[in-house]
């Protein structure tokens, strides 16, 4: 089986930075999973004894704590500072940016509209920086159902689809007296999505590698599925099924921003063995 990798895929700057920070803090604790990739979390635990703890109250006093790439709510950070001074902030700079925008624009009286998943840790963190109650929307339809004020500021979860974001922008510009738009979609996310889209148009089968709880990985899958009906999302090589490749000649591969090369390489190796 011939394999072709997307032009852009895998680890982004923010994830690569977070992994290096975690590796430099052996025996540390991450407040929530550092990234959305269970296999890489397991590797950090096995080789560096970096463990995950979801509850600040359970973190021992003066522990070495690493803040996850998605960031944490502002109030949680204050609680954490009461527990320990040994804090390494691995929040992705692309996530810090919308946090700062929310704090500033809400203080200026703008209604904050966040295009994202309200249950996602990144969005929870960003929401906590608003000085008023933000409106969180999943798509254009949910925006139309919400109560929109005259003066709004729009941001996006960093891993969202740019086309959907632009639809929301268009609606707000037409329906608000004042609309401030901040494109907070990560450049790496955009590049990975565009590369996956282009590759999916030319292959017989598409494999997306990454955590199934990863927002950006699911976006890659959804985009690829539009152009290549035989598209599968897997976390590692163990989920591959040889019959998927029957009658196929060219397999395209992309991977989420939290997917390490060692997982991608093994997937490639196994697929190349198929006839």
């Amino acid at each position: 089986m011939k394999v072709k990798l997307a032009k852009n895929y895998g680890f982004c700057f923010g994830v690569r930075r977070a992994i290096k920070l975690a590796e430099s803090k052996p025996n540390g604790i991450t407040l929530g999973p550092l990234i959305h990739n269970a296999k890489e979390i397991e590797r950090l635990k096995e080789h560096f004894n970096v463990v995950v703890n979801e509850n600040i109250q359970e973190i021992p006093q003066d522990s070495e704590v690493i803040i996850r790439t998605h960031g944490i709510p502002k109030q949680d950070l204050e609680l954490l500072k009461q527990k320990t001074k040994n804090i390494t902030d691995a929040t992705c700079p692309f996530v810090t940016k919308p946090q700062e925008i929310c704090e500033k624009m809400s203080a200026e009286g703008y209604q904050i509209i966040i295009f994202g998943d309200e249950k996602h840790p990144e969005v929870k963190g960003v929401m906590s920086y608003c000085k008023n109650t933000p409106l969180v929307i999943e798509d254009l339809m949910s925006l139309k159902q919400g109560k929109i004020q005259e003066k709004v500021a729009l941001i996006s979860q960093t891993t969202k689809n740019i086309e959907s974001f632009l639809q929301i922008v268009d609606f707000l510009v037409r329906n608000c007296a004042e609309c401030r738009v901040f494109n907070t979609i990560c450049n790496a996310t955009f590049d990975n999505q565009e590369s996956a889209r282009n590759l999916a148009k030319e292959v017989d089968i598409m494999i997306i590698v990454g955590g199934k709880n990863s927002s950006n990985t699911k976006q890659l899958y959804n985009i690829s599925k539009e152009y290549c009906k035989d598209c599968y999302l897997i976390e590692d090589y163990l989920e591959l099924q040889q019959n998927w490749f029957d009658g196929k000649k060219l397999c395209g591969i992309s991977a989420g921003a939290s997917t390490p090369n060692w997982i991608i390489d093994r997937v490639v190796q196994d697929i190349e063995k198929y006839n």
Side-chain angles (χ1 to χ4, degrees):
M1 172 64 62
K2 187 177 179 181
V3 170
K4 185 173 182 179
L5 287 159
K7 183 179 178 181
N8 297 288
Y9 65 91
F11 269 4
C12 64
F13 158 76
V15 169
R16 193 176 292 111
R17 170 179 170 271
I19 295 296
K20 286 183 178 179
L21 286 172
E23 290 176 344
S24 72
K25 303 292 179 180
N27 306 312
I29 299 169
T30 64
L31 188 54
L34 184 70
I35 61 174
H36 277 153
N37 190 286
K39 301 294 181 182
E40 184 67 2
I41 297 299
E42 288 174 12
R43 187 189 72 83
L44 288 172
K45 182 178 180 181
E46 181 179 350
H47 295 285
F48 300 92
N49 196 35
V50 173
V51 298
V52 179
N53 194 318
E54 300 273 6
N55 191 336
I56 293 175
Q57 302 304 328
E58 294 177 358
I59 293 176
Q61 200 73 25
D62 300 322
S63 297
E64 188 74 57
V65 180
I66 306 154
I67 296 175
R68 63 191 301 169
T69 52
H70 309 101
I72 59 174
K74 191 174 182 179
Q75 57 269 27
D76 286 354
L77 178 58
E78 294 307 313
L79 287 173
L80 185 60
K81 287 178 179 178
Q82 295 173 21
K83 297 278 287 190
T84 180
K85 293 181 180 179
N86 304 315
I87 300 172
T88 299
D89 192 353
T91 304
C92 174
F94 283 99
V95 174
T96 304
K97 180 182 174 183
Q99 291 176 350
E100 294 170 348
I101 292 169
C102 280
E103 192 164 40
K104 180 177 185 295
M105 299 309 294
S106 61
E108 293 180 14
Y110 286 82
Q111 178 191 23
I112 305 298
I113 299 179
I114 303 172
F115 172 40
D117 177 1
E118 193 168 4
K119 296 179 181 179
H120 193 281
E122 177 190 323
V123 175
K124 287 180 179 179
V126 170
M127 289 172 65
S128 72
Y129 283 82
C130 295
K131 297 184 183 298
N132 49 29
T133 303
L135 173 63
V136 183
I137 57 167
E138 294 185 357
D139 50 29
L140 181 59
M141 185 63 68
S142 60
L143 172 63
K144 291 179 178 179
Q145 293 171 350
K147 188 175 182 180
I148 306 168
Q149 298 175 13
E150 289 291 299
K151 185 178 173 181
V152 304
L154 172 69
I155 66 164
S156 174
Q157 186 176 331
T158 56
T159 52
K160 283 297 183 180
N161 182 290
I162 187 67
E163 283 77 15
S164 299
F165 182 69
L166 291 174
Q167 289 177 359
I168 292 165
V169 171
D170 181 68
F171 179 84
L172 288 173
V173 169
R174 294 173 188 272
N175 291 276
C176 295
E178 183 178 352
C179 178
R180 297 287 301 276
V181 177
F182 298 89
N183 180 8
T184 52
I185 296 175
C186 170
N187 291 341
T189 295
F190 176 79
D191 291 342
N192 284 2
Q193 289 177 358
E194 193 65 17
S195 296
R197 180 182 291 107
N198 292 336
L199 182 58
K201 292 175 181 178
E202 61 174 283
V203 299
D204 304 310
I205 180 173
M206 193 79 177
I207 302 295
I208 308 298
V209 189
K212 292 180 179 175
N213 61 340
S214 163
S215 175
N216 76 83
T217 302
K218 286 187 281 189
Q219 290 287 347
L220 290 175
Y221 171 77
N222 291 334
I223 289 169
S224 300
K225 187 78 173 176
E226 289 182 34
Y227 301 95
C228 180
K229 64 181 180 65
D230 291 317
C231 181
Y232 302 90
L233 171 56
I234 62 171
E235 293 200 342
D236 63 16
Y237 73 98
L238 293 171
E239 295 182 46
L240 289 170
Q241 296 183 33
Q242 190 166 352
N243 64 292
W244 292 348
F245 302 87
D246 291 346
K248 306 291 192 298
K249 295 181 179 180
L250 179 60
C251 173
I253 295 180
S254 185
S258 298
T259 310
N261 284 338
W262 61 269
I263 291 180
I264 301 167
D265 291 344
R266 178 60 193 268
V267 169
V268 171
Q269 290 170 15
D270 277 34
I271 292 175
E272 286 180 333
K273 295 174 184 176
Y274 299 148
N275 295 323

